[in-house]
Structures are given as structure tokens and as C-alpha cells.
């Protein structure tokens, strides 16, 4: 570590592993892959509305301007933040224009979600998990689910850790709760094998986060075939 205590590197890792081996058991997915049910993944491509396209292109144009500056000199911290914010806004516009302008109602992804909820939950009686990176998008999802008469629970960063178990138990044990809606606050460590379908309303930049989302239902204890749907 440096003089401020910041960790710069590691040493003696083989000795650390040796000391831990008698008391730590680690299993990764490779060791249990043959015990997991089949998984299918479906990508559904949807067009953006004119408003979405306008917001998306405007944000990308702002990011491109900063990218050109970066070719001549390093960006300042403020410019880096503006560039990341512009790229984030472009991604948000792909979900729903209302995430950016806070006014526009509806989106093609929400229309497609209504169709999927009707097919899978209303008619099929299945339990599903829905993920989005943005809390505002999950709020829109909850409104659509309840409009279809579906019971749901909603997990986001504002839900206290002590209360998350209650939401999970309701989803597992209450047949009237068919939809589990979550931001990536619920992307790790949750066992939701009672669901057989997972819908991703947006695709994370980091593929490991996507795998963590899918791993909420495609894990040991899952007895049914798992269906993963990506809305793009």
C-alpha cells in the first residue's frame, strides 16, 4: 500500500489460498453446469419513437463532440462526467423518452412488455422477473403490471436491506404475486428460482451484470427450463 493506505498490489496469494482452503468452499457455475436446466435466450428488437430518436441522437452528438476534444488533449474531470452523462442519456432514451424529458408517457418497450405480461402471466400463469438499470423505468413497469391486474413486488436501491427478504418471500410463496421488478440493486445474491422467465428491459455495458441478472433464476434449485428475453 502507499503512504495513504491505498492498496496498490497483492503478494503471497498462493499462501493465502493455502491458509483459506481448510475453511472455505467455493463453487462456481462450471462445477454445477450439468445440474442446471436448459436456458433459452431471445432478443426482441424494437424501433424507437421519433422523440426517443431525437433525445438519443442529441445525447450522442454531445458525446461525440467531447470525444473529438479527447483526440487533441485529455478531458478534464468535468468533461469526462459530461461525456458519461451524455452516453447514459442516450441509453435511457432507448428505454423510454420519459426517462430523459420526465414528460413523455409510454414507449415501445413498455408496449412489448404489456404483450409479454399478458402472454406469460395473465394467460400462462408464470412468474417472471423484470430488470432495468433505472428506478424510474421500474416504476413505469409496476404501473403497467398493475394495470393488467397482476400482483408484483418492486425492489430498488431505496428498499432497506432488512425489508428485501419480505419482498422475496412474498414473490416465492404468494401465488397472486407473479412479477418481481428490480433494478440492479437486486442483481446479486437473490434466489428467485420460483420464476422461469427473466426480462431485461436494457442491456448493461458490463456483461457480467447481465449474467448476474440471469443467475437470479438460472441457478441450483431451478427445476424448469428458463427463458431469458432481451428487449433492445
Amino acid at each position: 500500500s502507499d503512504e495513504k493506505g491505498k492498496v496498490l498490489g497483492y503478494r503471497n496469494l498462493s499462501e493465502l489460498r493455502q491458509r483459506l482452503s481448510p475453511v472455505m468452499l467455493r463453487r462456481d457455475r462450471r462445477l454445477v453446469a450439468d445440474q442446471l436446466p436448459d436456458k433459452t435466450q431471445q432478443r426482441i428488437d424494437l424501433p424507437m419513437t421519433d422523440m426517443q430518436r431525437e433525445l438519443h441522437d442529441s445525447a450522442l452528438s454531445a458525446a461525440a463532440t467531447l470525444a473529438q476534444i479527447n483526440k487533441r488533449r485529455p478531458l478534464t474531470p468535468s468533461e469526462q462526467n459530461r461525456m458519461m452523462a451524455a452516453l447514459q442519456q442516450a441509453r435511457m432514451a432507448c428505454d423510454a423518452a420519459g426517462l430523459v424529458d420526465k414528460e413523455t408517457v409510454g414507449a415501445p418497450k413498455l408496449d412489448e412488455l404489456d404483450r409479454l405480461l399478458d402472454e406469460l402471466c395473465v394467460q400462462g400463469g408464470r412468474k417472471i422477473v423484470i430488470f432495468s438499470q433505472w428506478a424510474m423505468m421500474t416504476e413505469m413497469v409496476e404501473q403497467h403490471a398493475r394495470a393488467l391486474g397482476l400482483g408484483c413486488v418492486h425492489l430498488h436501491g431505496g428498499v432497506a436491506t432488512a425489508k428485501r427478504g419480505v419482498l422475496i418471500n412474498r414473490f416465492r410463496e404468494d401465488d397472486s404475486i407473479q412479477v418481481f421488478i428490480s433494478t440492479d440493486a437486486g442483481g446479486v445474491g437473490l434466489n428467485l428460482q420460483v420464476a422461469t422467465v427473466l426480462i431485461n428491459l436494457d442491456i448493461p455495458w458490463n456483461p457480467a451484470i447481465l449474467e448476474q441478472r440471469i443467475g437470479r433464476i438460472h441457478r441450483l434449485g431451478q427445476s424448469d427450463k428458463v427463458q431469458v428475453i432481451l428487449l433492445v
Side-chain angles (χ1 to χ4, degrees):
S1 57
D2 62 16
E3 63 277 4
K4 295 181 180 179
K6 180 181 178 182
V7 175
L8 301 177
Y10 305 89
R11 60 188 178 189
N12 302 326
L13 291 182
S14 58
E15 181 183 348
L16 176 63
R17 281 192 290 270
Q18 186 176 5
R19 290 191 187 186
L20 287 173
S21 60
V23 295
M24 184 176 76
L25 173 66
R26 182 184 181 197
R27 294 192 300 180
D28 61 29
R29 291 182 69 84
R30 291 172 296 177
L31 298 177
V32 299
D34 59 345
Q35 302 172 47
L36 296 176
D38 291 338
K39 176 186 71 177
T40 61
Q41 186 163 296
Q42 176 187 9
R43 169 175 164 153
I44 301 177
D45 288 271
L46 299 163
M48 286 193 280
T49 64
D50 291 342
M51 178 58 75
Q52 281 179 287
R53 175 67 65 185
E54 181 180 335
L55 293 168
H56 173 274
D57 291 354
S58 174
L60 276 193
S61 176
T65 299
L66 289 162
Q68 289 299 320
I69 295 173
N70 192 47
K71 290 182 178 180
R72 301 193 301 271
R73 60 167 176 80
L75 296 179
T76 66
S78 174
E79 289 170 334
Q80 290 178 1
N81 290 338
R82 281 164 45 206
M83 185 173 187
M84 291 304 298
L87 292 171
Q88 192 86 308
Q89 180 172 308
R91 293 186 63 225
M92 292 166 72
C94 291
D95 266 11
L99 295 186
V100 181
D101 66 17
K102 306 297 188 291
E103 295 178 357
T104 305
V105 177
K109 285 188 178 182
L110 293 171
D111 294 339
E112 180 65 18
L113 180 65
D114 283 343
R115 186 190 69 78
L116 291 170
L117 289 173
D118 181 65
E119 175 186 324
L120 297 168
C121 297
V122 177
Q123 299 181 44
R126 300 171 74 176
K127 291 203 175 203
I128 72 171
V129 177
I130 303 173
F131 271 106
S132 175
Q133 181 173 340
W134 294 284
M136 188 175 178
M137 189 67 175
T138 62
E139 291 168 6
M140 295 179 186
V141 170
E142 182 174 4
Q143 292 173 5
H144 280 249
R146 295 195 183 282
L148 289 169
L150 295 170
C152 57
V153 291
H154 185 185
L155 175 60
H156 50 82
V159 177
T161 303
K163 296 181 179 180
R164 296 183 182 189
V166 176
L167 297 182
I168 296 168
N169 289 337
R170 286 186 64 201
F171 182 61
R172 285 178 181 165
E173 300 166 6
D174 189 340
D175 291 339
S176 69
I177 305 296
Q178 289 181 261
V179 185
F180 190 99
I181 306 165
S182 182
T183 64
D184 287 312
V188 180
L190 301 186
N191 296 311
L192 303 173
Q193 301 97 318
V194 67
T196 56
V197 181
L198 186 138
I199 299 176
N200 287 286
L201 292 173
D202 34 71
I203 311 302
W205 273 339
N206 184 345
I209 296 176
L210 181 60
E211 286 304 310
Q212 287 285 355
R213 290 180 179 181
I214 295 170
R216 299 313 94 218
I217 69 172
H218 192 238
R219 59 195 296 110
L220 281 180
Q222 178 61 265
S223 57
D224 297 313
K225 187 175 182 180
V226 166
Q227 182 179 1
V228 178
I229 299 173
L230 312 177
L231 299 187
V232 180

